[in-house]
Amino acid sequence: MNTADAKRILETALICSPQPLALRELRVLFADALSADTVRQLLEDLQLDWAQRGVELVQVASGWRFQSRPAMREYLDRLHPEKPPRYTRAVLETLAIIAYRQPVTRGDMEDIRGVVIGSQILKQLEDRGWIEVIGHRDTVGRPALFATTRQFLDDLGLPSLDALPIADGPAAEEAMRAALAAAAGAGQADLPIESASELPDDDPADTPATTEAPADAIPLATDVPAGTPPDQESAP
């Protein structure tokens, strides 16, 4: 089989697939007659072939897929006008903590944020397929350890956690917001988390642990410095 035919087969399979295809799945197309390195090279060649088009071939956590380029979002939105989702501060902070500090327990998140984490927030993220319990910490009560999923990386169009924007402290929330916005702009699957108007930040379960403090006092680190006052939830 020549290179042109092999690329045509890969291109067809990827365009027709509703989900990313892993390298091992793509090799099945050729009855494993082509090595993984050869298939990867063909995929990289396809990326170059599509470099000047409105659709691009990308590698995400689950494999390879075609998706629209962010620059095309403005025009695609005219077909189905929708307001982009607005993520609550509570959701963004919790997701950022899990993404950047995983694996973490609910107690870890509460120590970092300085507030009690509402169970609805974790349920939203679990229902969306962005976080999951990967084990339990060997301590009193054996609290669940949360981590992000492959679906989370796929929805953000990232091949691995190493590709997350580098951020720390309050900047992690903004980095997460930017990553979600970029994913939506790239034509990824809907990111349907309740908006700020649908789920207010003053969820009774998501309340300050002790006293008030400015929002910019949130340290996104595993250990909260002694004497650092916890924050209070506020509307986005």
Side-chain angles (χ1 to χ4, degrees), residues 18-145:
Q19 57 193 14
L21 294 176
L23 201 62
R24 65 178 180 277
E25 294 175 298
L26 294 171
R27 291 187 64 200
V28 172
L29 294 169
F30 309 99
D32 287 338
L34 300 182
S35 69
D37 288 341
T38 299
V39 173
R40 186 180 298 277
Q41 183 60 57
L42 291 170
L43 291 167
E44 291 174 357
D45 291 344
L46 270 179
Q47 284 183 311
L48 294 176
D49 292 345
W50 286 75
Q52 302 303 316
R53 304 184 186 182
V55 174
E56 61 183 344
L57 176 61
V58 299
Q59 182 180 15
V60 294
S62 296
W64 294 76
R65 73 176 175 207
F66 277 103
Q67 64 185 39
S68 62
R69 294 183 184 276
M72 296 294 103
R73 182 57 184 263
E74 173 188 354
Y75 307 100
L76 296 177
D77 280 348
R78 295 173 185 173
L79 293 174
H80 304 285
E82 292 182 3
K83 291 183 179 180
R86 293 180 58 228
Y87 304 95
T88 66
R89 174 187 173 189
V91 168
L92 284 171
E93 286 182 356
T94 302
L95 181 58
I97 289 169
I98 297 172
Y100 284 96
R101 302 296 180 186
Q102 60 188 302
V104 290
T105 66
R106 184 169 174 172
D108 294 333
M109 299 177 225
E110 292 175 344
D111 286 344
I112 293 169
R113 292 190 64 217
V115 297
V116 176
I117 303 290
S119 58
Q120 179 64 19
I121 290 175
L122 293 175
K123 185 176 186 304
Q124 285 181 66
L125 294 172
E126 286 183 297
D127 290 347
R128 182 62 186 83
W130 282 349
I131 66 170
E132 63 182 350
V133 174
I134 62 169
H136 294 79
R137 182 168 291 167
D138 189 13
T139 187
V140 177
R142 293 185 55 79
L145 288 166

